[in-house]
Amino acid sequence: MNKTPKKPLKRRIKNWTILIAVVLIYLWAFIGMPDINIKDSAGQAIKAIISGLFHPDWGYIYDPGGEDLIHALMETLAIAVLGTFISAILCLPFAFWAARNMSKHQWISNAGKFVLSAIRVFPELIMALLFIKSVGLGPFAGILALGFHSVGMLGKLFGEAIENMDFGAAEALTASGANRIQTLWFAVIPQVMPAFLSYTLYRFEISVRSAAILGIVGAGGIGAPLIFALNAHSWNRVGIILLGIIIMVTVIDFISGSIRKRLV
């Protein structure tokens, strides 16, 4: 019976050193935490929140005047749809720019990857604040924020799909005399289109969640009535809004997941 060989001494020392360092960092972080003071009204507030969540304001679901849950959810959905559509179109040149197998020099694709990473640095809320200063309050700022932020992530995913494709068909067309545009249209696009659509649907699922909070900063959607209800301590209104968001996101995830399974 073979005995399990022991790890080299240097490797064991290295592992223990890393473990001790991580533990010390966590201890230092927790020691420096400020004291957590729980207010006397915390229990009453928690009970009010739970009561509001289990007793939602059903009258807020629909209002002929337009200030209701359904209209706010539809606006949120429209922001996500348009933002995703914009990003899916704008990210295409960035994806081909960042793909290693679409350029002769590696520095060209590295530059494309750097640009996409720089775009992904800014979250949707920061983008929304920037566009609010440019186009004003409302859903248009939310659409632009989602659209430009998603360019970074979709461009990265699209670029990876291009790098993983089989170039046999493209080489065959090139050998038969096809130009670069014909090769791209008849050999590259048909291969990467299913992956592009799948990634776009996946990004749409994320955009719906993001669009639900953009209203907090005034970029339209369900976030605005949610923050108003929270500030007013209208917990039954908060409950129906959260319930609407949960149902909308769950239905969209189910439909999008079913479609993506057929595409890939």
Side-chain angles (χ1 to χ4, degrees), residues 76-77 79-85 87 120 122-125 142 145-147 149-154 157 197-214 222 245 248-254 256-257 260:
T76 302
L77 185 61
I79 292 172
V81 170
L82 293 175
T84 305
F85 177 78
S87 63
R120 291 198 305 273
F122 301 97
E124 294 93 339
L125 286 177
L146 278 180
H149 171 79
S150 300
V151 166
M153 182 56 68
L154 276 182
L157 295 175
L197 293 175
S198 177
Y199 288 141
T200 302
L201 287 172
Y202 175 70
R203 185 62 207 179
F204 171 64
E205 296 175 12
I206 300 174
S207 295
V208 172
R209 297 175 176 86
S210 300
I213 62 173
L214 288 180
I222 193 66
I245 293 174
M248 180 182 68
V249 171
T250 302
V251 171
I252 290 174
D253 284 356
F254 176 77
S256 176
R260 283 191 287 112

Side-chain angles (χ1 to χ4, degrees), residues 15 22 46 92 97 107 110 112 138 166 170 182 189 191 195 219 223 225 235 237 248 258:
N15 292 340
V22 171
I46 292 174
L92 288 175
W97 178 17
W107 67 267
N110 289 340
D166 183 12
Q182 291 172 331
I189 297 298
Q191 286 192 67
W235 303 118
R237 179 69 57 85
M248 180 182 68
S258 300

Side-chain angles (χ1 to χ4, degrees), residues 62-132:
Y62 177 73
D63 182 4
E67 298 292 333
D68 56 23
L69 178 65
I70 293 178
H71 284 84
L73 290 177
M74 290 299 101
E75 184 177 80
T76 302
L77 185 61
I79 292 172
V81 170
L82 293 175
T84 305
F85 177 78
I86 290 173
S87 63
I89 299 300
L90 292 181
C91 77
L92 288 175
F94 291 95
F96 284 97
W97 178 17
R100 292 191 181 93
N101 52 4
M102 296 302 293
S103 56
K104 296 181 180 179
H105 305 286
Q106 187 175 358
W107 67 267
I108 297 177
S109 62
N110 289 340
K113 293 179 185 298
F114 173 77
V115 171
L116 291 175
S117 298
I119 296 174
R120 291 198 305 273
V121 166
F122 301 97
E124 294 93 339
L125 286 177
I126 301 298
M127 286 282 192
L129 291 172
L130 294 175
F131 281 112
I132 285 172

